[in-house]
């Protein structure tokens, strides 16, 4: 294969060989993704891989990304009583999340003094960003896109390669690595991955910018995980923020706030990689046979006690 590459490009320079190796490994990985599981969907109609246990080769993927020396930003919103979930989130992330890669956590919180001290691994760092909270959890959710957009514009556009925005009331239970990286990455909501499309909780009011009519849609995506290349996530966040602003001006709030707008965005801007519910489970949910491992899950909590309003 290497000899063929040299013959084709006319040289054996480091750049050409590196490009070939990356392309060859990506092809191998793609074939693996498409053919290794027969019990679940592993590729979408638009040829985006759906990542499940058994559909990727960790060694191959690491070989690609280790050479690229990437940095992954990870944003978390810990406001009000949700700050109590931050310790478990960070400690479990340091065991399972992007191990061996540079990770920079950005913690949005109204209580910087409550951010726990957690021992971080090599090439891992944390920045606390103070923001105001709200007496409505819906408002907190609605403003995340705006804050994500501004963070990318002011700090991240030239500093990181990829970014994930993750919910704080979660915990890592298993490996979450660079198999999750892509241009724009979505996760299938664990509550609806086996639900008929017309039963998805999309925004059905045509007055909203998040409106999706019956008969449309691919999956129902969870808002607890958003990721991808930093410039692609910036476009997503900006588009959703603009749609949220229009809805606010028209005195309408989508059924599931930013998650509704996220699903509308992905309807017309297809994710290039989709994470299976292994990457967003719920601790209260029964584990079905097709779920071979739980990697990341929403923890059990009493919403009446942690949310500022019903």
């Amino acid at each position: 294969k290497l000899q063929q590459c040299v013959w084709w490009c006319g040289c054996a320079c480091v750049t050409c060989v590196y490009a070939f190796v990356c392309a060859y490994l990506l092809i191998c990985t793609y074939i693996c993704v498409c053919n290794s599981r027969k019990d679940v969907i592993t590729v979408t109609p638009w040829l985006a891989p759906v990542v499940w246990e058994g559909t990727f080769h960790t060694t191959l993927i690491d070989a690609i990304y280790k050479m690229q020396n990437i940095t992954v930003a990870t944003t978390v919103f810990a406001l009000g009583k949700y700050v109590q979930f931050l310790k478990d989130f960070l400690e479990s992330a340091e065991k399972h999340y992007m191990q061996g890669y540079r990770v920079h956590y950005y913690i949005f919180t109204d209580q910087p003094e409550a951010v726990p001290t957690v021992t971080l691994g090599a090439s891992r760092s944390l920045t606390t960003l103070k923001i105001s909270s709200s007496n409505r959890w819906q408002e907190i959710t609605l403003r995340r896109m705006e804050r994500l957009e501004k963070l990318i514009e002011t700090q991240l556009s030239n500093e990181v390669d990829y970014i994930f925005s993750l919910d704080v009331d979660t915990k890592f239970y298993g490996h979450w690595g660079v198999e999750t990286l892509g241009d724009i990455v979505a996760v299938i909501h664990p509550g609806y991955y086996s639900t008929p499309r017309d039963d998805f909780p999309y925004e059905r009011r045509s007055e909203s910018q998040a409106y999706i009519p019956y008969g449309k849609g691919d999956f129902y995506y969870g808002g607890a995980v958003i990721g991808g290349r930093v410039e692609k996530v910036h476009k997503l966040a900006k588009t959703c923020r603009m749609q949220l602003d229009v809805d606010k001006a028209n005195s309408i709030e989508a059924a599931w706030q930013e998650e509704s707008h996220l699903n509308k965005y992905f309807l017309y801007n297809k994710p290039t990689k989709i994470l299976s519910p292994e990457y967003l489970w719920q601790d209260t949910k029964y584990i079905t046979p097709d779920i071979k491992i739980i990697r990341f899950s929403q923890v059990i909590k009493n919403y009446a006690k942690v949310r500022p309003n019903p």
Side-chain angles (χ1 to χ4, degrees), residues 7 12-13 66-67 81 141 173 219 232 253 276 305:
W7 173 83
C13 67
K66 286 290 187 182
M67 291 187 290
K81 294 181 180 179
T141 299
Y173 292 101
F219 299 95
K232 300 293 186 179
E253 186 175 286
S276 72
K305 291 185 177 180

Side-chain angles (χ1 to χ4, degrees), residues 228-244:
R229 288 192 175 274
V230 67
E231 66 275 12
K232 300 293 186 179
V233 175
H234 177 260
K235 179 184 176 183
L236 179 154
K238 183 176 181 178
T239 302
C240 289
R241 189 269 303 163
M242 292 171 65
Q243 293 178 344
L244 286 159

Side-chain angles (χ1 to χ4, degrees), residues 48-51 65 178-182 184-187 271-275:
V50 184
V51 185
Y65 285 100
V178 291
E179 76 280 355
T180 62
L181 297 181
I184 192 70
V185 181
V187 66
T272 59
K273 181 171 286 185
I274 296 176
L275 307 182

Side-chain angles (χ1 to χ4, degrees), residues 1-20:
K1 293 294 185 180
L2 181 56
Q3 288 176 339
Q4 291 174 2
C5 176
V6 172
W7 173 83
W8 178 74
C9 70
C11 74
C13 67
V14 172
T15 301
C16 290
V17 172
Y18 169 75
F20 171 78

Side-chain angles (χ1 to χ4, degrees), residues 166-240:
L166 305 175
D167 274 6
V168 69
D169 53 335
T170 50
K171 189 174 180 179
F172 291 88
Y173 292 101
H175 168 87
W176 177 313
V178 291
E179 76 280 355
T180 62
L181 297 181
D183 279 358
I184 192 70
V185 181
V187 66
I188 299 173
H189 195 293
Y192 302 99
Y193 78 100
S194 59
T195 301
R197 178 172 59 185
D198 280 349
D199 292 335
F200 291 164
Y202 291 149
E203 174 54 63
R204 301 299 189 181
R205 294 169 295 173
S206 59
E207 298 84 2
S208 173
Q209 295 293 301
Y211 169 64
I212 297 177
Y214 288 100
K216 298 290 186 179
D218 304 300
F219 299 95
Y220 187 77
Y221 302 107
V225 176
I226 304 169
R229 288 192 175 274
V230 67
E231 66 275 12
K232 300 293 186 179
V233 175
H234 177 260
K235 179 184 176 183
L236 179 154
K238 183 176 181 178
T239 302
C240 289

